[in-house]
């Protein structure tokens, strides 16, 4: 007889004994261990049929079909941590493997987001190398993906000294350049998105300030006359919330590709521009990392896209109890309105 650490159990072990210890390590009050005819007495990963029974009605409970999908993809998982944003449609868990390793399991809110993220992860994202997660498995029926984990901490709400901030924003510019050159650019087709303007205005109007609706309608009219720009595979939601910084390793990571679809490169700077407002040094750092300034055509599109994104964000945030999204949209409109004053 001997003592063994729970994460370094001996081989061989009786299968149901190992199942009981795995369930204990996962913090489950109850588990069911199935054994099929012909299964060996000794534990083997190939015949591991342990099913953890979640607490009824507990917040963040992982649906059984999602657990099964994840464990088929990465093996036994002995710990789940809900990493979702406080939104009904957002379902993301960090999964800890029984044999080590960490993955993320995500359920998309609709087929469109699922298809966009899977297409990006199978297409241009691998070209970013270790700066982005790798797709381990996808299930279109569940709208689920299993992803490798990346390091660092989110830049959303993080504080750094000014010199470190400039360094981070320089790396952000480099990462944007890597994303936008991950596939050859193509000629643009169609105009800037403004078809949903009236619906977004209806949802945002109660929160708008004096002059906001006039600014929005002026921008929508301007969008129709802007020249088309070449399209690239942009991230689609390139903002601090989806960027992770590992200070010790000096590495920047990017996550969340569910809004990725072909469009002008300038689109990726719409939400990021809120982060450098009032800090020309951060804008200069981004441009230096990006290796070129915006063209005059891109500057014009950035203004229009920022207005349209702001009203869309206010409308969505008001309907889905997301105060940060509403506030960012109002802040963007105020900034752009002030920039147009003589």
């Amino acid at each position: 007889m001997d003592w063994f650490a729970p994460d370094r159990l001996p081989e061989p072990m009786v299968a149901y004994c190992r199942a009981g210890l795995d369930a204990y390590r996962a913090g489950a009050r109850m588990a069911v261990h199935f054994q099929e005819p012909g299964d060996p007495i000794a534990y083997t990963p190939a015949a591991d049929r342990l099913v953890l029974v979640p607490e009824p009605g507990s917040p963040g409970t992982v649906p059984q079909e999602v657990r099964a999908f994840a464990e088929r993809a990465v093996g036994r998982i002995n710990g789940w941590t809900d990493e979702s944003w406080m939104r009904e449609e957002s379902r993301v868990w960090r999964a800890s493997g029984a044999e080590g390793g960490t993955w993320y399991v995500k359920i998309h809110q609709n087929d469109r987001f699922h298809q966009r993220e899977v297409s990006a992860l199978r297409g241009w994202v691998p070209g970013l190398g270790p700066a982005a997660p790798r797709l381990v498995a996808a299930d279109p029926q569940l709208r689920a993906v299993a992803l490798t984990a990346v390091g660092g901490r989110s830049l959303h709400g993080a504080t750094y000294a000014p010199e470190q901030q400039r360094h981070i924003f320089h790396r952000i510019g480099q990462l944007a350049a890597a994303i936008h050159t991950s596939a050859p650019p193509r000629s643009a087709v169609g105009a800037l998105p403004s078809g949903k303007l009236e619906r977004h205005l209806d949802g945002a109007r109660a929160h708008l300030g004096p002059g906001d609706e006039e600014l929005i309608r002026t921008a929508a009219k301007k969008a129709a006359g802007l020249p088309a720009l070449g399209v690239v595979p942009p991230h689609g939601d390139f903002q601090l919330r989806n960027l992770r910084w590992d200070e010790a390793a000096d590495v920047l990571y990017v996550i969340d590709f569910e809004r990725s679809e072909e469009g002008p490169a300038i689109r990726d700077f719409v939400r990021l521009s809120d982060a450098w407002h009032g800090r020309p040094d951060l804008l200069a750092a981004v441009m230096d990392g990006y290796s070129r300034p915006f063209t005059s055509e891109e500057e014009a599109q950035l203004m229009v896209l920022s207005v349209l994104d702001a009203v869309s964000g206010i409308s969505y945030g008001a309907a889905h109890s997301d105060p940060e999204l509403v506030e960012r949209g109002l802040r963007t409109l105020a900034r752009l309105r002030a920039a147009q004053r003589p």
Side-chain angles (χ1 to χ4, degrees):
M1 297 183 69
D2 207 343
W3 294 97
F4 294 90
D7 60 346
R8 293 189 298 275
L9 296 172
E11 300 281 350
M13 281 190 68
V14 174
Y16 68 81
C17 299
R18 170 63 183 259
L21 289 173
D22 282 347
Y24 170 76
R25 288 173 58 204
R29 293 195 189 189
M30 183 180 295
V32 181
H33 176 254
F34 295 94
Q35 191 138 353
E36 300 290 344
D39 283 353
I41 295 174
Y43 165 78
T44 173
D48 184 3
R49 309 187 200 282
L50 174 65
V51 176
L52 305 180
V53 180
E55 293 287 326
S58 60
T61 297
V62 185
Q64 185 56 48
E65 62 272 21
V66 176
R67 290 174 177 265
F69 157 74
E71 294 195 333
R72 287 194 301 270
V74 305
R76 172 67 56 211
I77 295 172
N78 67 353
W80 293 86
T81 304
D82 194 336
E83 299 279 349
S84 306
W85 282 79
M86 294 300 292
R87 297 171 184 160
E88 292 180 4
E89 301 91 346
S90 179
R91 303 301 303 275
V92 180
W93 297 273
R94 186 175 71 247
S96 302
E99 302 298 326
T102 302
W103 294 269
Y104 281 84
V105 179
K106 180 177 183 179
I107 305 297
H108 295 101
Q109 61 180 285
N110 56 51
D111 290 333
R112 184 175 73 257
F113 282 1
H114 178 76
Q115 292 165 4
R116 284 177 181 173
E117 182 141 29
V118 170
S119 295
L121 288 165
R122 288 174 176 167
W124 60 267
V125 172
L128 301 179
R134 177 173 55 86
L135 179 66
V136 179
D139 187 318
Q141 279 69 47
L142 295 174
R143 299 199 300 265
V145 291
L147 310 168
T148 58
V150 296
R153 57 175 291 202
S154 173
L155 288 175
H156 181 66
T159 57
Y160 297 95
E163 183 178 353
Q164 183 75 315
Q165 283 182 306
R166 287 188 287 272
H167 176 66
I168 293 170
F169 274 67
H170 180 268
R171 298 299 294 272
I172 290 174
Q174 290 179 322
L175 182 56
I179 292 173
H180 298 158
T181 57
S182 60
R186 297 192 305 103
S187 298
V189 178
L192 293 181
S194 59
K196 301 177 182 177
L197 179 64
E198 293 303 326
R199 177 161 59 86
H200 292 158
L201 265 173
D202 288 343
R205 191 170 282 111
H207 302 271
L208 299 180
D212 281 345
E213 184 164 350
E214 181 183 358
L215 173 69
I216 294 164
R217 292 193 179 280
T218 300
K221 290 179 182 178
K222 186 177 181 181
L226 291 177
L229 299 177
V231 298
V232 298
H235 179 274
D237 195 13
F238 201 61
Q239 58 173 307
L240 299 186
R241 191 174 70 193
N242 292 325
L243 296 168
R244 302 181 66 85
W245 173 249
D246 186 334
E247 186 173 1
D250 192 24
V251 177
L252 183 68
Y253 302 95
V254 60
I255 60 172
D256 196 353
F257 303 92
E258 67 181 30
R259 296 181 184 273
S260 174
E261 59 179 345
E262 286 189 335
I266 195 65
R267 176 182 163 201
D268 272 344
F269 296 98
V270 168
R271 295 178 181 178
L272 190 64
S273 63
D274 183 64
W276 70 56
H277 175 52
R279 291 288 305 274
D281 58 326
L282 298 185
L283 172 58
V286 171
M287 294 293 91
D288 186 53
Y290 198 56
S291 297
R292 70 170 181 85
F294 298 147
T295 65
S296 58
E297 291 83 3
E298 286 176 325
E299 291 277 8
Q301 286 213 7
L302 179 61
M303 183 273 178
V304 171
L305 286 169
S306 295
V307 171
L308 297 177
D309 183 73
V311 68
S312 170
I314 295 168
S315 175
Y316 182 92
H320 294 81
S321 301
D322 190 332
E324 189 269 340
L325 197 54
V326 173
E327 188 60 35
R328 187 180 69 201
L330 294 173
R331 187 168 59 244
T332 298
L333 293 179
R335 166 168 56 89
L336 296 175
R337 201 171 61 245
Q340 291 194 340
R341 293 194 189 107

